[in-house]
Amino acid sequence: MTVNVDLPDHIRARCTELGHGVLYAVKTLARQLSDNPRLGERASRLGLYTATIDSDTFDACPPLIVRYAYGPPLLDVDRIEIRDIEATGPLPDCVPAGSHGWL
């Protein structure tokens, strides 16, 4: 069963804050979650999960913790929603997306 994964606007904005490689890493995780919704570790009985993204896997991306909701009681059976992203290590030394790097 493939499920729909929602990346709300505030999550996309958070990805941009954390660096230009973060959105790509989170979208890659979202594709994996659509095929395997329980890929992360269960965080509570309410259908909340936590997944990690290793900084060695993606260039220009810090290590991340991604929290998401899957299915009932919070969502429909075939839905996942990324709820929070937290950097757990240093941010990469790079120019943020949308910036020209000018001072």
Side-chain angles (χ1 to χ4, degrees):
M1 170 178 78
T2 301
V3 298
N4 297 317
V5 180
D6 185 26
L7 289 171
D9 290 339
H10 73 279
I11 294 297
R12 290 175 186 273
R14 179 70 177 139
C15 289
T16 300
E17 290 172 10
L18 293 174
H20 74 275
V22 174
L23 184 57
Y24 175 77
V26 171
K27 284 182 175 181
T28 300
L29 175 63
R31 283 191 299 273
Q32 293 172 342
L33 291 174
S34 71
D35 292 330
N36 184 3
R38 292 187 177 98
L39 182 68
E41 184 176 316
R42 184 173 271 240
S44 76
R45 292 183 181 186
L46 294 177
L48 297 173
Y49 292 81
T50 302
T52 58
I53 296 176
D54 188 337
S55 62
D56 294 336
T57 306
F58 297 94
D59 290 337
C61 182
L64 301 170
I65 292 177
V66 179
R67 294 177 187 89
Y68 65 96
Y70 167 58
L74 300 173
L75 302 170
D76 293 337
V77 174
D78 62 347
R79 281 199 55 226
I80 290 175
E81 182 181 279
I82 305 291
R83 296 263 172 120
D84 183 51
I85 298 173
E86 177 184 349
T88 60
L91 301 179
D93 293 329
C94 64
V95 177
S99 171
H100 297 289
W102 302 319
L103 298 177

